[in-house]
Amino acid sequence: MARKTWRLSGLLLAGFIGMAGCSAPSSSSSTEAIVPISIYSFDRQNYGSQDDRVLKAIEEATGTRISLQTGGWEDTQLDILMATGGYPDVLTIVDNEKTGRFNKWIKEGRIIPFSDELIAGLPYLSAQLNNPKYDELRVNGKLYGLPLQDELPPGSVGQHVLILRQDWLDKLGLPVPQTLEQFRNTLLAFRDRDPDGNGLADTYGIIGNGLPSLVRNLMGAWGIPIDARSTGFLQVGDAYEYWVVQPEVKEALRYVKELYDGRLIQPFTLSAATNVQVRPRFIEGRVGAMFDNANFEELLKKQEQLRRNFKDAELMEAAALAGPDGKRGYSVGSGFWGYTVLTDKAQNPAAVARLLNYLLSDEGNRLTLYGLPDVHYREDKGQISLLLDERKNDIGFGTLHPEAAHELNWGLVSWTRMTETDYLRFRESSTPGFTDVVQENLERINRYRIEPASYNLATSRWVSFKSTSDELTESYFGKMIMGELDIDGGFEKFVSKWMESGGAEAMSEMSGALVRSADTGSPE
């Protein structure tokens, strides 16, 4: 799930916003030894021996020498690094949903905890790690990963929301759909009423990363909160159960089957595994809806790409759809996705912690957002001008989009803080109306929310069973939607298979832990 910030298009940053904190960081004492730190992070530039003055300023402020290793956004790279022993001091963007792998690394001693001693005297790192909402992440009372804070404010929706072609709605004279029935009619119009105006019957209603993903993303219409940023468990009576075995799922399967039978779903959906694969098909301009990350930069990136061929293209993030009984809502997110972890290769964990603390600080955030004063930007009578020619000389800004934030602004200690004042004002100068885009879409997607039973708790038996659960869900849900299995009989077979394959025991163990956590605050 790539989080790389959309590259900006303006030259002048208006409205000086208190840049005193952006001055060049003070260098560490010359008597202190410089500590080498190696970091692996996805989707970065290949720094090699190339100079980058922002990186150098970070090193001077923290007394470190950073070696940044990178590769394509392929999560298995982390497994390869661990298996071969070639992993560095720090790994970033470690998928927190793969709890089995994470716990294995802890058991093997490959990653080390952020102990109280390690973070003592580091206020920004301590504040992040000691947030009570992350208590569920502790293993034997210890936190082994720095949660990467989400782009959206705390309490916002989780990962996926409904994205619609607003320009298609406007052209066809359609309102934004509020219910499942209205949504089906909207998709029919997208298919049949030539919204792209080319006179061909070549448009579809919706595209997704697999048919089962559509079921998952629509479950809020039956009042069930499910998202990649929560466990998928809900309270049923005095116990807790997993969402896939709930009777409401049958109704969601019937709904998605109707969309499939009506040829409203773009066929690539059947083979797509991730949204990274889906987005290029969506921006071809022949589909009117998809579920995607609630990320405003990603929204505008898709819109910009669509406008290369469809100049009036406009996208919006819609409120959660209401189901047959009026229930609606996106699942509230945990507020983070992914970890940065320290490995047992780190010779000086205290220096790594000092580096992370600096990047979390206001000074570190502003440095990676704006760069160095009188080098990457200049203030003159309350106006901030970005010095593009100078920014092009630093690989972290790059030659293609030097007006963007430095790439070290995201994915190391948090994701880009795109709703905070500094970022909004920075973006507003280069993309007028950006603040309105954020505020309008944020209000819509946060209008209806459902609180999940748990965000991060996972027992050992559930961790072991989760991959089996996912495989059974993908297989049976796909067969029922495509008509290979009758939904009533197929769902009964699915639940039976799920339970006998270890689901009953794993769900019971999770339920007990969730009950204890609700009663005492601890799953133990």
Side-chain angles (χ1 to χ4, degrees):
M1 48 180 299
R3 298 297 192 92
K4 198 161 187 176
T5 303
W6 181 51
R7 299 307 191 182
L8 318 182
S9 59
L11 303 182
L12 182 67
L13 177 55
F16 179 58
I17 57 176
M19 297 295 297
C22 286
S23 58
S26 57
S27 299
S28 297
S29 170
S30 59
T31 62
E32 296 180 6
I34 301 299
V35 180
I37 297 176
S38 57
I39 302 174
Y40 184 90
S41 191
F42 296 123
D43 206 16
R44 307 289 172 172
Q45 298 294 332
N46 185 9
Y47 285 74
S49 59
Q50 300 184 64
D51 287 335
D52 186 278
R53 286 167 288 186
V54 171
L55 178 60
K56 184 177 180 180
I58 293 171
E59 292 174 332
E60 290 178 350
T62 57
T64 60
R65 187 70 68 236
I66 299 170
S67 171
L68 189 60
Q69 306 167 26
T70 192
W73 203 296
E74 176 49 61
D75 190 67
T76 56
Q77 290 296 319
L78 301 184
D79 296 309
I80 293 171
L81 288 171
M82 282 296 190
T84 60
Y87 54 94
D89 303 332
V90 180
L91 295 174
T92 72
I93 317 180
V94 177
D95 190 342
N96 56 285
E97 296 160 42
K98 297 190 175 181
T99 50
R101 178 180 70 181
F102 192 77
N103 290 344
K104 179 174 180 287
W105 292 352
I106 294 173
K107 187 175 181 180
E108 293 173 348
R110 302 288 187 95
I111 56 178
I112 61 178
F114 287 91
S115 64
D116 291 340
E117 294 77 16
L118 183 62
I119 64 176
L122 302 175
Y124 299 99
L125 186 58
S126 296
Q128 181 80 335
L129 290 167
N130 290 327
N131 191 321
K133 69 181 180 181
Y134 298 138
D135 285 347
E136 281 187 339
L137 303 175
R138 295 182 180 274
V139 178
N140 297 324
K142 301 175 182 178
L143 269 176
Y144 284 82
L146 171 65
L148 300 177
Q149 182 177 326
D150 258 334
E151 300 99 335
L152 304 187
S156 295
V157 301
Q159 186 172 22
H160 288 134
V161 297
L162 178 62
I163 310 294
L164 293 171
R165 287 284 298 268
Q166 179 68 62
D167 57 312
W168 282 14
L169 293 174
D170 294 343
K171 179 179 179 179
L172 301 177
L174 298 172
V176 176
Q178 299 296 320
T179 68
L180 289 177
E181 183 62 28
Q182 291 173 3
F183 185 53
R184 181 192 293 108
N185 291 336
T186 298
L187 299 185
L188 281 166
F190 285 170
R191 186 195 68 185
D192 296 339
R193 293 175 58 187
D194 193 24
D196 59 354
N198 66 358
L200 302 175
D202 61 349
T203 53
Y204 288 91
I206 190 169
I207 190 171
N209 58 316
L211 294 172
S213 75
L214 297 178
V215 175
R216 181 171 60 249
N217 289 323
L218 289 167
M219 287 311 304
W222 286 270
I224 295 179
I226 171 61
D227 188 83
R229 286 164 172 73
S230 67
T231 60
F233 275 77
L234 63 152
Q235 189 166 5
V236 180
D238 295 329
Y240 292 85
E241 297 181 2
Y242 195 49
W243 76 275
V244 299
V245 297
Q246 301 308 306
E248 293 89 346
V249 172
K250 285 197 297 184
E251 301 309 311
L253 286 164
R254 287 193 178 94
Y255 181 82
V256 175
K257 187 179 188 317
E258 289 177 6
L259 303 185
Y260 175 78
D261 291 344
R263 296 181 295 107
L264 302 179
I265 300 174
Q266 208 272 3
F268 183 69
T269 299
L270 276 66
S271 58
T274 69
N275 269 10
V276 173
Q277 297 170 328
V278 170
R279 288 169 191 152
R281 298 300 181 103
F282 182 78
I283 63 175
E284 289 175 358
R286 307 298 181 215
V287 184
M290 71 175 293
F291 284 93
D292 204 355
N293 293 343
N295 178 319
F296 308 122
E297 294 288 9
E298 180 60 43
L299 180 78
L300 289 178
K301 178 181 177 181
K302 289 194 291 288
Q303 180 172 283
E304 178 192 41
Q305 292 171 326
L306 277 165
R307 285 180 175 177
R308 294 172 187 172
N309 296 309
F310 308 93
K311 62 182 180 64
D312 296 323
E314 183 178 353
L315 298 179
M316 57 93 73
E317 296 178 351
L321 299 167
D325 297 326
K327 297 176 181 177
R328 66 194 303 188
Y330 296 122
S331 176
V332 175
S334 62
F336 83 101
W337 187 84
Y339 299 117
T340 286
V341 301
L342 307 183
T343 77
D344 60 336
K345 294 287 187 72
Q347 296 299 305
N348 192 331
V352 177
R354 187 169 65 243
L355 169 64
L356 299 179
N357 183 73
Y358 178 77
L359 291 173
L360 281 167
S361 71
D362 292 339
E363 181 181 358
N365 181 56
R366 288 172 177 168
L367 172 63
T368 56
L369 188 59
Y370 297 101
L372 296 164
D374 297 322
V375 176
H376 298 115
Y377 71 93
R378 181 177 293 127
E379 178 199 1
D380 182 23
K381 297 179 181 180
Q383 302 290 314
I384 299 297
S385 300
L386 301 182
L387 305 179
L388 299 183
D389 288 341
E390 282 299 321
R391 293 167 81 90
K392 290 178 182 178
N393 293 327
D394 291 284
I395 192 171
F397 289 118
T399 58
L400 293 178
H401 299 283
E403 70 278 7
H406 195 280
E407 68 172 13
L408 298 183
N409 187 257
W410 60 270
L412 296 181
V413 293
S414 70
W415 299 110
T416 298
R417 308 170 191 178
M418 64 179 62
T419 63
E420 294 185 359
T421 300
D422 275 5
Y423 193 79
L424 288 175
R425 290 179 177 174
F426 178 69
R427 290 292 278 107
E428 187 67 33
S429 67
S430 55
T431 307
F434 180 82
T435 301
D436 290 339
V437 169
V438 170
Q439 292 176 344
E440 291 169 7
N441 284 287
L442 185 64
E443 188 280 327
R444 272 195 301 267
I445 62 178
N446 277 343
R447 194 176 298 165
Y448 305 102
R449 289 167 289 174
I450 307 173
E451 192 78 31
S454 172
Y455 293 109
N456 309 298
L457 192 153
T459 64
S460 58
R461 188 167 286 175
W462 180 253
V463 168
S464 299
F465 174 69
K466 183 62 165 57
S467 60
T468 300
S469 173
D470 291 344
E471 290 170 3
L472 290 172
T473 301
E474 291 291 318
S475 175
Y476 276 85
F477 281 21
K479 290 177 180 178
M480 284 184 276
I481 293 169
M482 292 189 289
E484 297 176 26
L485 287 174
D486 169 73
I487 286 182
D488 286 319
F491 188 73
E492 184 177 344
K493 290 179 181 178
F494 163 71
V495 172
S496 177
K497 182 69 173 178
W498 192 90
M499 292 292 188
E500 68 185 28
S501 297
E505 294 84 358
M507 187 165 65
S508 176
E509 184 181 77
M510 273 290 287
S511 178
L514 288 165
V515 168
R516 289 189 294 274
S517 181
D519 290 343
T520 67
S522 171
E524 304 298 330

